[in-house]
Amino acid sequence: MDEGLSKTTVNRYLEQINTAFRMAVDYGYLYKSPSKGVKKFPSKNYTVRYLTEDEEKKLMSVFPDYLKDIVIVALNTGLRKTNILELRWEQINFDFNFIEVLENKGNKHIMLPINKPLMELFRKTPDYEKVGYVFINPETGKPYKDIKKAWTTALEKAQIENFRFHDLIILTVQPK
């Protein structure tokens, strides 16, 4: 804290130290963890940032097409970035219009309805290509692993500050 770190950052360091000491105990290098009983700082790290309509238009105008499609899925489903990047065509049920997600952070079975914007997005892909991952990097032929650079570049071009991909999830539950 004396070095200017936030309580949240200090807590993350404490978690890493606790994990290392817990492993040392598990492997028999220590009898007891010296970090046991060290309390973390209470923190309220739930800053939420919303886009204005103007910001959303600017941002969508600077996205490359593939990132625009990924963001459309985020805005219309509330799925996390990892779930979107790992989305497979087999998870999309066109007969009953839903997306099924089995592997996710909460380990819950999620079934999401497909609304009109999503259906239009999914339908623009020819049927013969609907195998494997939904979002494939044309340069590698593999699914996108990280979109951080493209995301950051788009934010800079649109002159939008302090907005994370994760904040798109929040937008799905907000009234428009």
Side-chain angles (χ1 to χ4, degrees):
M1 295 287 294
D2 293 342
E3 295 175 13
L5 299 176
S6 70
K7 290 179 183 179
T8 303
T9 302
V10 172
N11 284 345
R12 284 194 184 126
Y13 287 154
L14 286 173
E15 288 169 8
Q16 290 173 340
I17 290 169
N18 288 339
T19 300
F21 282 134
R22 201 169 37 250
M23 288 175 69
V25 170
D26 289 347
Y27 289 111
Y29 292 109
L30 291 174
Y31 175 71
K32 179 182 168 190
S33 171
S35 67
K36 189 172 178 115
V38 175
K39 301 224 185 275
K40 291 193 271 182
F41 290 103
S43 65
K44 296 179 182 175
N45 190 21
Y46 48 81
T47 303
V48 178
R49 164 77 158 86
Y50 303 101
L51 289 177
T52 65
E53 278 189 48
D54 185 48
E55 287 176 322
E56 186 177 340
K57 286 177 187 170
K58 278 202 270 186
L59 198 52
M60 292 303 270
S61 73
V62 298
F63 281 142
D65 287 340
Y66 77 92
L67 189 53
K68 194 179 297 185
D69 290 346
I70 290 168
V71 169
I72 288 170
V73 172
L75 286 170
N76 287 280
T77 64
L79 285 172
R80 293 176 175 273
K81 180 172 53 173
T82 301
N83 292 119
I84 296 169
L85 296 179
E86 294 176 359
L87 186 64
R88 299 179 67 87
W89 287 108
E90 300 83 51
Q91 294 173 258
I92 301 170
N93 185 316
F94 288 101
D95 294 329
F96 295 101
N97 296 333
F98 68 85
I99 299 170
E100 185 174 30
V101 181
L102 297 173
E103 306 223 359
N104 54 70
K105 187 173 181 181
N107 292 321
K108 293 189 168 79
H109 182 215
I110 299 172
M111 292 180 71
L112 301 164
I114 299 175
N115 61 14
K116 188 175 180 181
L118 277 180
M119 188 56 76
E120 289 171 3
L121 176 106
F122 293 145
R123 291 276 184 221
K124 75 178 185 182
T125 301
D127 285 341
Y128 64 87
E129 290 182 7
K130 292 182 180 172
V131 177
Y133 292 96
V134 173
F135 299 107
I136 300 288
N137 184 336
E139 293 176 11
T140 64
K142 296 180 180 179
Y144 292 98
K145 290 292 180 196
D146 190 19
I147 57 170
K148 191 173 186 173
K149 185 175 179 184
W151 176 259
T152 304
T153 301
L155 288 175
E156 288 170 2
K157 283 182 182 177
Q159 299 177 332
I160 296 174
E161 295 178 356
N162 193 29
F163 190 74
R164 307 163 299 164
F165 188 92
H166 191 73
D167 292 327
L168 293 170
I169 294 171
I170 307 302
L171 292 173
T172 62
V173 295
Q174 299 302 315
K176 290 232 176 191

